[in-house]
Amino acid sequence: MRHDEHDLTPRQRDVYDYIVHFKQTNGYAPTMREIATGIITSRSFARECVHVLVDKQIIRYNPKTFRSIVILKFL
């Protein structure tokens, strides 16, 4: 198993990877619904993972602004 410098779980890494890929493909950030659909999970779990990524200062997210995810660190 690979050691991640930011100690992300595999599912948190899936969320991160999905966000990065979505932004590169579309030019804008995904919504929570798109993240949940993309990694086949619930919106509440997707939101929880996004908040972990925010806490670890990997992304920035403003829940009051639509498509506001900004990638701060590329892993």
Side-chain angles (χ1 to χ4, degrees), residues 5 17 30-31 34 39 46 50 56 60 62 71-73:
E5 67 184 77
D17 290 340
T31 63
E34 289 166 335
I39 65 163
V50 165
K56 293 180 181 271
R60 185 173 57 226
N62 181 351
I71 300 166
L72 301 175
K73 294 181 184 172

Side-chain angles (χ1 to χ4, degrees), residues 24-75:
Q24 289 173 340
T25 302
N26 299 294
Y28 52 85
T31 63
M32 287 299 165
R33 177 177 286 161
E34 289 166 335
I35 294 169
T37 301
I39 65 163
I40 310 170
T41 192
S42 67
R43 275 189 272 169
S44 62
F45 181 77
R47 188 174 7 267
E48 179 183 318
C49 288
V50 165
H51 287 292
V52 168
L53 295 172
V54 169
D55 290 344
K56 293 180 181 271
Q57 298 179 338
I58 297 170
I59 64 170
R60 185 173 57 226
Y61 170 65
N62 181 351
K64 296 180 180 183
T65 305
F66 195 62
R67 298 189 184 274
S68 67
I69 296 173
V70 176
I71 300 166
L72 301 175
K73 294 181 184 172
F74 286 94
L75 306 179

